[in-house]
Amino acid sequence: MTHSRRSLRSALLPPIMRARGSKREFSSPDVTMRLAAEHALRPESFAPPKNIDRSVRITVRQVAGWPVYTVTPRDRPVRRRAVYVHGGAWVHEISPFHWWLIARLAVNTGTEFTVPIYPLVPRGTAGEVVPVVADLAAELVAEAGSSAVLILGDSAGGTIALSAAMLLRDRGVPAPRDIVLISPVIDLTFSDPLIYEIEPRDPWLNVPGPKAAAEVWRGHLPIDHPFVSPVNAPLSGIGRITLFSGTRDITHADAITLARKARAEGHPLDFQQRANMLHVYPLLPIPEGAEARAVIEAVLTAEEWSL
């Protein structure tokens, strides 16, 4: 599904982001990796904002040495379970925008969320993180049944979410009902020419920084390994996909590739393509973001289905 209407608020975002120099931190490998080193020395906060405590209960445990949060709606029964994997180009922690989205979805849909705070580059690697995220999802499937479990992720977290779903399939774990991907990267070679056509119009992301972070993120794995670039594994057996992407986002090239791959393989995928929208627009405080969030809520509350 393609939408073309644009609100005034969303139209104001690109000039504001350009004025703030939002692309600067991704302008070169050196700049991005210096940022990663700075965050390793002085970590960003990953704590949930206190203002969501009125609507959800939050607990935390340690898994594989990581904090893993559980976010549960306070005033309605839990009807389904989900893992949410946050984005941040492998160098940024989970943000308040992620927490606000998770809390809203929990309250409006009766979903209990598991939220891993996975290690970032230069310490974290795909070979370490993807199996643990798959373990967390498998735990939910064992507790609640696959028809009541979903996996969600945005940006780099969407990459991890898709790779983890593929690993669950390869382990023989029943597929979670749905996978929701927001602006994911599925090919970390960044070799699609369309990326470089979009890059000048993207007010947020440049290619050199994320590409450098991806080289560290892959660790000892080849760049085409499915833990790193899930474009290289089949989609069969991983659950229905809902994919959100804006056309002023360099990751839109990968969204088109994933939609094309799903069509070729006959895999169910709902492509929520939005003209002129930026990276991870469903997280942003704009009308188009609100419309996308309503679609995600509908996915979370949909009845059981089968492949």
Side-chain angles (χ1 to χ4, degrees):
M1 181 181 298
T2 302
H3 305 271
S4 57
R5 180 171 51 84
R6 181 165 59 154
S7 68
L8 175 61
R9 190 180 301 177
S10 69
L12 291 173
L13 279 178
I16 290 171
M17 297 183 79
R18 289 191 185 281
R20 293 178 55 189
S22 298
K23 287 173 73 91
R24 192 174 301 122
E25 69 180 46
F26 302 115
S27 61
S28 75
D30 287 346
V31 170
T32 299
M33 296 317 297
R34 280 200 303 270
L35 179 67
E38 174 64 20
H39 289 168
L41 181 64
R42 296 180 177 86
E44 295 176 302
S45 174
F46 52 75
K50 290 184 178 180
N51 61 7
I52 68 174
D53 290 354
R54 292 187 296 273
S55 60
V56 294
R57 292 189 302 273
I58 304 173
T59 59
V60 65
R61 59 191 168 112
Q62 294 287 315
V63 176
W66 318 347
V68 175
Y69 286 85
T70 301
V71 180
T72 308
R74 284 190 179 275
D75 299 324
R76 63 181 298 172
V78 171
R79 299 189 180 279
R80 58 200 57 80
R81 311 281 287 279
V83 176
Y84 193 100
V85 192
H86 75 85
W90 303 281
V91 299
H92 283 295
E93 281 293 0
I94 191 170
S95 75
F97 289 102
H98 293 108
W99 286 118
W100 293 328
L101 173 64
I102 290 163
R104 175 196 169 97
L105 295 176
V107 170
N108 289 355
T109 69
T111 302
E112 181 178 270
F113 281 88
T114 296
V115 186
I117 309 301
Y118 58 90
L120 305 172
V121 301
R123 186 169 66 89
T125 64
E128 174 190 359
V129 171
V130 170
V132 177
V133 173
D135 291 345
L136 293 170
E139 181 181 288
L140 300 186
V141 169
E143 292 173 358
S146 61
S147 64
V149 175
L150 302 92
I151 302 176
L152 302 88
D154 70 278
S155 191
T159 313
I160 297 166
L162 183 56
S163 294
M166 291 170 168
L167 179 56
L168 288 177
R169 174 203 54 211
D170 295 346
R171 289 176 174 177
V173 175
R177 195 189 76 196
D178 280 270
I179 303 166
V180 176
L181 303 175
I182 302 171
S183 306
V185 185
I186 67 165
D187 182 357
L188 270 61
T189 66
F190 292 87
S191 57
D192 189 332
L194 181 58
I195 296 172
Y196 300 90
E197 294 179 25
I198 297 171
E199 186 178 34
R201 297 186 291 110
D202 185 335
W204 193 346
L205 298 177
N206 280 313
V207 174
K211 188 173 182 180
E215 278 295 315
V216 180
W217 173 252
R218 73 181 179 92
H220 298 298
L221 296 174
I223 198 72
D224 61 354
H225 192 285
F227 285 12
V228 182
S229 295
V231 70
N232 296 306
L235 299 174
S236 61
I238 69 166
R240 178 177 54 190
I241 298 170
T242 302
L243 172 64
F244 294 87
S245 183
T247 63
R248 290 190 68 172
D249 173 6
I250 60 172
T251 72
H252 187 59
D254 275 16
I256 292 172
T257 296
L258 181 57
R260 186 184 303 121
K261 178 179 175 68
R263 285 195 301 272
E265 297 182 16
H267 190 82
L269 183 147
D270 178 14
F271 190 11
Q272 295 284 325
Q273 180 177 228
R274 194 87 193 219
N276 295 308
M277 288 300 104
L278 309 186
H279 190 58
V280 299
Y281 78 89
L283 278 74
L284 302 180
I286 54 176
E288 294 86 352
E291 292 169 6
R293 293 189 289 273
V295 173
I296 297 172
E297 290 176 10
V299 172
L300 286 165
T301 55
E303 295 298 322
E304 179 179 350
W305 70 286
S306 60
L307 284 172

